[in-house]
């Protein structure tokens, strides 16, 4: 019997939402995760590879929304969320895989009252996987300084590569802010969720394999896009929550760091570093110079 036809009650009230962009190289593992899901929404951000054709063949039960242009990560997830009619939604990057056993653990947290439940992300390291520092116990700590969770943990931020969430709660806070094209849109959403007293729980007993940065085809163009938006979105987030003055300082620091890289990397014949520095320099300059601050009045 085709495994996709086997009914699993666990999945009846969960919709998997996946955003793809030139993600054909990820689809084999994605299919293994989603083949038994009856509710799947895939938003394709104008891929120019075979992503859509492969998905139509391998996941015939999926609703595929084809955008005429690349909307960005947050906006595309919002489109998927608009097509979700189940109480729970699994936001899943195409470079992530998750077992049904781990999904069961995450769902139990939502049934206990959490708004978002997140597995421990695991990055490939040779033939093994190592835990990823993909969550933070405090706001605006750009890097996690806490040890890995040894048990369930409430956090202020968790990477949205793999979230099981309550659909209506994500809608109630407005979903992702579409001014973020790529990166830091999950930081922003976590801040708004926590301001509204919604719990984000990391369950380390649940694990998801995550090839960080592997959602789209690797290459120089992809590196440019990622590096550009990493710099731009960091400044945007800072402007929203710390104000224009702090954002200006962060912009200046990013600009100086990128400019130094643009001078030194070519001398070292480091093509990748040169492209990354140039993209970050342009991203730092391209971020809005004035942004309306988000005001967070925490009710917790």
């Amino acid at each position: 019997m085709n495994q996709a036809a086997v009914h699993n009650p666990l999945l009846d009230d969960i919709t998997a939402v996946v955003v793809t962009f030139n993600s054909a190289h990820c689809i084999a593992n994605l299919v293994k995760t989603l083949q038994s899901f009856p509710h799947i929404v895939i938003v394709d951000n104008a891929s120019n590879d075979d992503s859509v054709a492969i998905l139509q063949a391998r996941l015939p039960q999926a609703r595929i929304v084809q955008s005429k242009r690349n909307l960005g990560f947050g906006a595309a997830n919002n489109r998927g969320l608009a097509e979700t009619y189940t109480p729970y939604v699994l936001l899943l990057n195409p470079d992530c895989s998750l077992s049904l056993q781990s999904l069961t653990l995450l769902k139990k947290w939502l049934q206990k009252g959490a708004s978002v439940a997140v597995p421990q992300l695991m990055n490939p390291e040779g033939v093994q996987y190592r835990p990823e520092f993909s969550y933070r116990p405090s706001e605006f700590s750009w890097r996690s300084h806490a040890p890995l969770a040894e048990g369930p943990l409430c956090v202020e931020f968790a990477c949205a590569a793999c979230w099981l969430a309550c659909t209506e709660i994500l809608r109630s806070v407005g979903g992702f802010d579409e001014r973020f094209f790529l990166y830091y849109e999950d930081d922003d959403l976590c801040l708004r969720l926590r301001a509204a007293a919604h719990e984000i729980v990391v369950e380390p007993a649940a694990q998801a394999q995550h090839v960080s940065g592997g959602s789209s085809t690797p290459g120089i163009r992809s590196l440019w896009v990622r590096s550009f938006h990493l710099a731009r979105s960091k400044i945007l987030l800072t402007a929203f929550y710390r104000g224009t003055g702090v954002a200006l300082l962060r912009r200046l620091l990013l600009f100086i760091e990128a400019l130094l890289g643009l001078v030194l990397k070519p001398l070292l014949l480091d093509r990748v570093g040169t492209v990354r520095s140039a993209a970050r320099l342009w991203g730092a300059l391209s971020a809005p110079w004035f942004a309306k601050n988000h005001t967070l009045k925490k009710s917790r």
Side-chain angles (χ1 to χ4, degrees):
M1 179 182 290
N2 187 332
Q3 187 176 351
V6 176
H7 175 250
N8 187 334
L10 168 72
L11 304 174
D12 287 345
D13 52 4
I14 299 174
T15 297
V17 172
V18 181
V19 174
T20 56
F21 176 66
N22 295 335
S23 305
H25 60 291
C26 300
I27 290 177
N29 284 332
L30 183 66
V31 168
K32 292 178 183 178
T33 295
L34 298 183
Q35 59 190 349
S36 56
F37 278 67
H39 311 296
I40 306 171
V41 178
I42 295 178
V43 182
D44 185 76
N45 265 334
S47 293
N48 54 28
D49 64 0
D50 295 327
S51 294
V52 171
I54 298 172
L55 287 164
Q56 287 172 334
R58 301 288 302 276
L59 293 172
Q61 76 273 35
R63 298 197 306 278
I64 299 180
V65 179
Q66 292 183 255
S67 175
K68 294 181 180 180
R69 61 184 179 86
N70 189 342
L71 301 173
F73 179 80
N77 268 298
N78 284 347
R79 287 194 64 177
L81 190 63
E83 297 287 331
T84 297
Y85 305 102
T86 55
Y88 306 126
V89 59
L90 175 67
L91 303 182
L92 189 70
N93 278 15
D95 59 353
C96 274
S97 56
L98 182 75
S99 70
L100 292 181
Q101 291 84 354
S102 290
L103 186 63
T104 300
L105 294 174
L106 298 181
K107 186 175 181 181
K108 287 180 179 177
W109 280 106
L110 300 191
Q111 292 170 333
K112 292 178 181 179
S115 299
V116 179
V118 186
Q120 172 65 63
L121 297 182
M122 306 292 289
N123 288 156
E125 189 174 70
V127 296
Q128 297 181 328
Y129 284 84
R130 58 175 171 79
E132 178 181 331
F133 285 97
S134 56
Y135 44 85
R136 296 192 296 270
S138 61
E139 298 169 5
F140 286 101
S141 172
W142 298 108
R143 299 178 185 273
S144 177
H145 298 287
L148 289 167
E150 297 179 359
L153 177 70
C154 286
V155 296
E156 297 292 325
F157 164 79
C159 173
C162 182
W163 276 14
L164 185 66
C166 296
T167 306
E168 288 306 317
I169 286 176
L170 292 188
R171 288 176 177 155
S172 73
V173 297
F176 289 100
D177 188 327
E178 297 182 10
R179 288 173 289 183
F180 295 91
F181 184 87
L182 186 65
Y183 295 121
Y184 293 107
E185 64 284 291
D186 45 2
D187 292 73
D188 169 75
L189 182 51
C190 285
L191 283 162
R192 288 184 282 119
L193 283 165
R194 293 297 295 128
H198 296 303
E199 288 189 347
I200 304 167
V201 176
V202 172
E203 172 52 86
Q207 296 185 350
Q209 284 70 47
H210 178 222
V211 182
S212 184
S215 293
S216 58
T217 304
I220 291 297
R221 178 177 174 78
S222 177
L223 175 66
W224 173 278
V225 170
R226 294 198 308 272
S227 301
F228 171 88
H229 286 290
L230 188 66
R232 181 186 183 278
S233 294
K234 180 176 283 192
I235 294 169
L236 190 60
L237 185 75
T238 304
F240 283 169
Y241 295 100
R242 291 291 187 82
T244 302
V246 179
L248 181 61
L249 178 60
R250 183 167 293 279
R251 187 195 305 268
L252 179 62
L253 292 175
L254 281 171
F255 179 85
I256 292 171
E257 180 184 3
L259 188 61
L260 286 174
L262 199 55
V263 171
L264 296 176
K265 296 298 182 180
L267 298 177
L268 300 173
L269 304 180
D270 183 353
R271 185 186 180 207
V272 169
T274 300
V275 171
R276 183 182 291 115
S277 296
R280 288 179 176 175
L281 181 68
W282 188 242
L285 291 173
S286 300
W289 288 84
F290 299 98
K292 184 177 180 180
N293 293 6
H294 283 297
T295 301
L296 300 180
K297 295 181 180 180
K298 298 194 176 184
S299 56
R300 69 180 188 274

